[in-house]
Structures are given as C-alpha cells and as structure tokens.
Amino acid sequence: SQKIEQNSEALNIQEGKTATLTCNYTNYSPAYLQWYRQDPGRGPVFLLLIRENEKEKRKERLKVTFDTTLKQSLFHITASQPADSATYLCALDRGGNNRKLIWGLGTSLAVNP
Amino acid sequence: DAGVIQSPRHEVTEMGQEVTLRCKPISGHDYLFWYRQTMMRGLELLIYFNNNVPIDDSGMPEDRFSAKMPNASFSTLKIQPSEPRDSAVYFCASSLPEYQETQYFGPGTRLLVL
C-alpha cells in the first residue's frame, strides 16, 4: 500500500531563510499531490496542488516540486516569516476515480524572529 | 460562505456513551469527507460521500462507527458505544465535484472519551 513519509523532526529556521520540507512516497506515482497547512486547533488549509506531469508550481513565496523518479515532492517557503510557523501536510491521491487522499503525518515548522 | 461547520467543537463523554458529531458542508460542494486525526496515525479518512451517497467507507474502524448524509447540507458521524481509543479530533471536509479538487476542512471536533 502507498506510504508517505515527511520529515518527522520539527524544522527550526531563522526568519528570512528558505524552509524546505520533504514528502516521500513509496509505491505508485500519484496523479497529483497536495500541500496543506495546519495551525494548532484548526483544520488543514489547502496551499498548492501539483500534477504528475508538472515539475514545479509556484504561488507567491511558496514553491512545490514533484519528482516522480525520486518519488518525492519538495515544498519551499522563501523569505520565511514567523507567521509561517505551522504544521505542513502532504497528501496524495490514490488514482482512478476514488477521491480518497493518503496523508503524511506532517512536518512542524518554526520560524524564529 | 461560512465554510464547513462542525458541532460540537469539544465533546467529553464516558466510555459506553453514544456520540454524535455533526457537519454542514459548503453549499454547492458535492463531496463530503469524515476524517479522524491523532498524533500517532495522522489524518485518516473514515468515509466519504458523493451527492449524499456513501462511496468509500473502508476507513470506518468497526461497526461502532456509522455515518449518514440525509441531505446535501447535513451529515452525522455516530459512535456507539464510544471507547477511550476513539479519543481524537474528527474533521469534516467538503469539495467541489471536479477531479483533483481540493478539500475544505471544518474546525474539527475534539473528542475525549473517559
């Protein structure tokens, strides 16, 4: 079955630096991959979606890459700010017409002022 | 739009009691998802509906869990009888019908079974 691995340890970086989070999967290549942000006590909020035929997607300070050879997606936040501190989740589709997503456990990011 | 609405936000109950969680999806969203989140297992999909019809309930842990969607604007997740291991945060999410459409999550219900 499909498994997803995200950095298990919290990531601490200095304000202004680029944060890079990793999402690795082990089995079939998904048709698309999504990144969500989750703040304490709240539900996940969608950030970006990247499809299997796309190498890179950008949105403001966010950038996602998708390497189907490495079975990996990288999520970058440039010019990070303390407000970017949160847990970031990646989710993969299961393919076909099933709308079920497989979720990683998330990586906690702390941006220090 | 008000977003996905869930109630209650917090629930504390004793083992053996019935628990009912409620969800109102975003208007116009055809898909509704029920998730459970714990530190150890992360987000797990329990069941999802399309146009009020259950499509995939393979994530429902056991017969103690049941979900219904009587109309497009309301869904319930029921646990009967509840057990301490059911303690978790339960999220409801909804999405539009287009393939690959993102999911919009509610604020969650934090359930504690004593």
Side-chain angles (χ1 to χ4, degrees):
Chain A
S1 62
Q2 183 71 289
K3 291 185 179 180
I4 300 174
E5 293 179 356
Q6 294 188 250
N7 314 55
S8 57
E9 295 185 7
L11 183 62
N12 283 273
I13 63 169
Q14 207 62 31
E15 182 176 6
K17 300 293 186 182
T18 296
T20 298
L21 285 67
T22 305
C23 177
N24 295 301
Y25 56 95
T26 59
N27 202 346
Y28 59 86
S29 284
Y32 62 92
L33 185 152
Q34 301 184 22
W35 284 88
Y36 287 74
R37 168 185 173 141
Q38 185 172 24
D39 291 284
R42 295 178 177 267
V45 175
F46 170 77
L47 295 175
L48 282 169
L49 178 152
I50 187 165
R51 297 178 176 81
E52 61 179 337
N53 60 349
E54 297 176 323
K55 295 293 186 184
E56 182 179 297
K57 185 74 74 72
R58 292 175 184 263
K59 179 182 177 182
E60 299 174 349
R61 295 184 296 109
L62 309 180
K63 184 179 82 171
V64 173
T65 62
F66 196 3
D67 189 327
T68 55
T69 301
L70 293 178
K71 295 188 176 181
Q72 180 181 79
S73 174
L74 297 178
F75 178 80
H76 306 273
I77 305 175
T78 59
S80 61
Q81 305 167 359
D84 296 326
S85 300
T87 295
Y88 292 85
L89 305 166
C90 73
L92 313 180
D93 78 300
R94 291 195 61 179
N97 292 322
N98 195 312
R99 295 292 288 262
K100 185 172 184 174
L101 295 177
I102 309 298
W103 294 80
L105 290 178
T107 298
S108 176
L109 172 67
V111 180
N112 306 306
Chain B
D1 202 315
V4 175
I5 299 172
Q6 289 187 250
S7 65
R9 292 294 312 275
H10 302 273
E11 178 82 24
V12 180
T13 190
E14 293 189 346
M15 182 174 63
Q17 296 298 305
E18 177 179 293
V19 174
T20 299
L21 311 181
R22 297 172 177 79
C23 174
K24 176 179 169 55
I26 294 173
S27 176
H29 284 196
D30 290 0
Y31 285 84
L32 183 139
F33 306 82
W34 280 103
Y35 287 93
R36 176 172 67 179
Q37 187 176 40
T38 60
M39 289 289 290
M40 291 300 295
R41 300 173 68 90
L43 264 174
E44 300 175 283
L45 179 68
L46 300 176
I47 184 171
Y48 80 89
F49 295 83
N50 179 24
N51 290 320
N52 314 335
V53 176
I55 302 300
D56 186 335
D57 65 354
S58 59
M60 295 287 262
E62 49 200 272
D63 292 344
R64 297 186 298 106
F65 285 69
S66 63
K68 294 182 180 180
M69 192 164 186
N71 57 63
S73 59
F74 184 66
S75 177
T76 60
L77 178 68
K78 187 173 294 186
I79 307 173
Q80 167 63 19
S82 58
E83 296 182 3
R85 60 190 167 126
D86 301 330
S87 298
V89 181
Y90 291 81
F91 288 103
C92 176
S94 68
S95 71
L96 289 165
E98 286 75 21
Y99 178 55
Q100 301 179 358
E101 193 56 49
T102 61
Q103 297 182 14
Y104 296 82
F105 283 77
T109 296
R110 187 171 295 273
L111 173 66
L112 178 61
V113 183
L114 302 173

